[in-house]
Amino acid sequence: MYRKILRALFIVLILGLGAVTESGATVDLGFPFIQNYTKLLYQAGNQNWSVCESQDGVMYYGNSEGLMAYDGEHWQLYRMPNRIIVRSVAADDNGKVYVGGYAEFGYWANNNTGKFTYHSLTNLIEDKNELKNEVWKIYVEKDRVLFQTFSALYLYQHGKMKVVKGPHAFLFLLKARDRYFVEVIQQGLFELKGDSLVKLQNSNVPGLTSVHTILPFKEDQFLVGTSKNGVFVYDGEEFTPWQNEAHQLLKQYQLNNGAVVQGKYFAFGTILSGVIILNDEGQVVQHVNKLKGLQNNTVLNVYTDRMQNLWTGLDNGIDRIEVNSPLFYYFDKSGKFGTVYSSIIYDNKIYIGTNQGLFYSNWSATENRSLQPFDFTLIENSQGQVWDLSLVGGELICGHNAGSFRVMGNTIQKISDVNGGWTIQRLKSNPELLLQGTYTGLVVYKRNDSGNWSFSHKVGNFGEPSRYVQEDNTGYIWVSHNYRGLYKLTLSDDYRQVKSSRKYDQADGLPGNYNINVFDLENRIVFSTDSGFYVYDEISDRFRKYNELNKKLGSFAASGSVIKANNKKYWLIDHGKVALADFSEAGTVKVNSSQFHMLSGHMVQFYENISRISNNMYLISIDDGFVVYNAAVQQPQRTALPAVVIRKVQNTTNRLSTMADTGNPGNTVEVAYNRNNIRITYALPYYSQGKAMYQYKLEGYSSNWSDWSSDAQKDFTNLNQGDYRFLVRAKIGEDAVSPVTAFTFTVLPPWYASFWAFAFYVLVAVVLLFLFRHLYQRKLKRDQQRIHEKMEQEKQEFLQQEALANEQKIVKLKNEQLQAELAAKSRELTNSALNIVSKNEMLQSLRDEINQIKDVAGKKVPDDQLKKIQKIIDEGMGNERDWDLFESSFNETHENYFKKLKSRYPDLTPNDLKFCAYLRMNMSSKEIASLLNITVRGVEIRRYRLRKRLNMEHEKNLVEFLMEI
């Protein structure tokens, strides 16, 4: 019987959770922002049975394929043994994540190396209490963990397991205000006190069955939610039905679970229609279902995180609901009215101007806006682009592509045929007139006899597109267009003509000629550009940068659109980013952008529109609907940003391998030198629409912080050996920066620089030292022997050198003697030659004198009488004995000079040899002529002939040539 009850209970539960039909759902309701996490995104099973948040802010989900983790950037799936479904999940403050499934429970935790591993606890269960069911609930206390199945409660404490069973099967163990309640089938509601079950009095009231949630309520009361009988209030003694606006809805859609949000709202997940949120008065605050943005209407679990986000584990996907957001969304999911350019609320109606026409629906200022239905209807004859909706003097004026219209309820009346009414406003210089900017210039409106605004005239002498129009305090009209430039106009006194017009561009101090818009900010005309705001100086007729304002606005200084909000507040829109600037405090500007991150990229560029509904409510046009911003909604005070978590450390060398799943492993992460390329993955566990920006630095690698980037991982390659400290921090928008998270690791030295390598080096050094000592001693002996031998050798060499020196002295003396003898012979040769010359000169003189001898009569002596004397003189001058003597002396002095000369030049004659000898002795031509008994002219002729026989170059000196032989 017991097993049948369990089986039937499980089947009913599964069938109920699988139901996805809808009934009685309202359409087009406003709802808070919902972030969808689809199966395609997280890459795991459809069903998500449970949700929890860990101490470091990481979200964990019990998924049909295992335990799933999400840190705000990355999804990770951890499969269980036998790939069982994780039905329940809970985290403690020590990094453990407890999980339960079919016949299995335990915990995941990081081991000493930082790997996230699973540890089963089922081995602690005695055989008689064998676990055979699904584990549906887990609760973590300071010193114990509670696991609940339909058949028993398992209490894990101090390493031991205690089992608590009831008289019948359990439904769900539920916790509220540190008290545990559990429904025992057919017995009623019990409370777990210690390790005993105590039945609650009066718990057998009709309808108090199938209890799926118990939540803390007012004072000491509790809300007890049943599957099909609504919610009861338990005051400690009695159970009474809670009468609330959703009583029938909760019964009809089958309540399945619940959670408290912000301490004052109660979110109930249903099987058939998403989440219904009530306040403590029982009023419906929100009803969020598939039509409002949920992925699925079957809510398997609801959970409130520390930031008061409401997480829903669905039958197909995971959703995060920003219940605490002041923004309520109205999306045109059917595409009924297209892209929204403008919107406004007037006379209990909401009007939407789109690219398809003007639509309206009823609006109640008093009804709960979260439940307010909208049925937008196209106003007849309004087809086309609606650029502007402005309430002026109690009339709603519609600026349309086809002209301008007066809006009256669900009808429109044309008041101008001028196409393209972009903007309209009262003239400061004449409040009885309206000035409108259009496709082709300016249009003026005035009151007609009925008191309504009507077309007066088109301003002449100006036909430029007038997207933005402003009148300054001096009466000038400023007109701008993103692509046509900026104009300053002076109108005639009757406002019918443009008396003067001047176009301004970069030459007048503006940063460019495009994207220049004009606005009235705190009663001062300012000009927005991509480089910041500018103001006009009338004296110099030039523009200057409005640095005082730009510094205060920060990143919103480049806003392209400024819209008046309320009092001294203005909406700033910078390329899709939205902020609300408060100028109420003199000298300061408070810029609030954090609340509007989710609007980024959803507004229609150049046609941004925000209109005020009331003092605290604004209607914001977005591309596929509109958003209501309620400034009166007080968000819970946001704590400082959490610390960034290190989610994974991987080695990227050759192949990707995980080194650690956390930045705080028990042991230091060590990286091998030959695998010194790592990737560090990190995330900011902050769940909002704002995009996290990260900044890091690696101490030991760089001393400077990186630029801010949205990248949630960083690769480092070719790291040198040493200790490193990775620092990372994050920010959301312009909010405060998160605390710095540090992760340390070590790159090991290469094998040749490791401890064992150095030990080996020391051992080798010792061996080498002994070897060196031994070799040195041997070398020392050899050196001593060699020195002895060398000394002997040097002694012998010294003696030899001394003998050689003596011999050289002797040779030197002999050489000196030979030189002296040679010099003497040279002098003797020279003297001999000079003697011969002297003799020949004397004989020549004697010949000359004899030729002058005369007889007694004074006549010249006949030649025949002098022939004998002349012959004797000639024999004396040509005596061969003189030459032989000279030749012998010459050869002794110049080492067989004639033989050398003859061997080189065999064609030389004996006379040539004589001539060469005389030239070798550097004798003059006169002396040579005397020796050869020829004239000086004959000597020159011989010189010439000798040069030819010696084949000498013309530039070469003959005497030098002969001396070189």
Side-chain angles (χ1 to χ4, degrees), residues 206-269:
L208 190 63
T209 59
S210 189
V211 177
H212 281 239
T213 184
I214 297 180
L215 303 176
F217 195 45
K218 299 176 181 178
E219 299 177 353
D220 294 330
Q221 296 179 337
F222 297 90
L223 292 180
V224 181
T226 66
S227 176
K228 297 180 180 179
N229 299 308
V231 181
F232 292 78
V233 176
Y234 174 55
D235 60 5
E237 294 182 0
E238 301 290 337
F239 292 87
T240 57
W242 186 36
Q243 299 302 323
N244 58 76
E245 291 182 358
H247 182 68
Q248 291 301 322
L249 293 177
L250 293 174
K251 292 172 64 176
Q252 178 183 354
Y253 296 137
Q254 194 173 340
L255 183 150
N256 191 39
N257 40 64
V260 179
V261 183
Q262 299 182 32
K264 59 182 178 179
Y265 298 116
F266 305 93
F268 296 100

Side-chain angles (χ1 to χ4, degrees), residues 341 467-468 561 563 573 576 603-610:
Y341 294 144
R467 175 66 183 88
Y468 298 94
S561 183
I563 301 173
I573 303 172
M603 303 186 76
V604 182
Q605 190 175 13
F606 306 130
Y607 299 99
E608 299 91 349
N609 177 264
I610 302 177

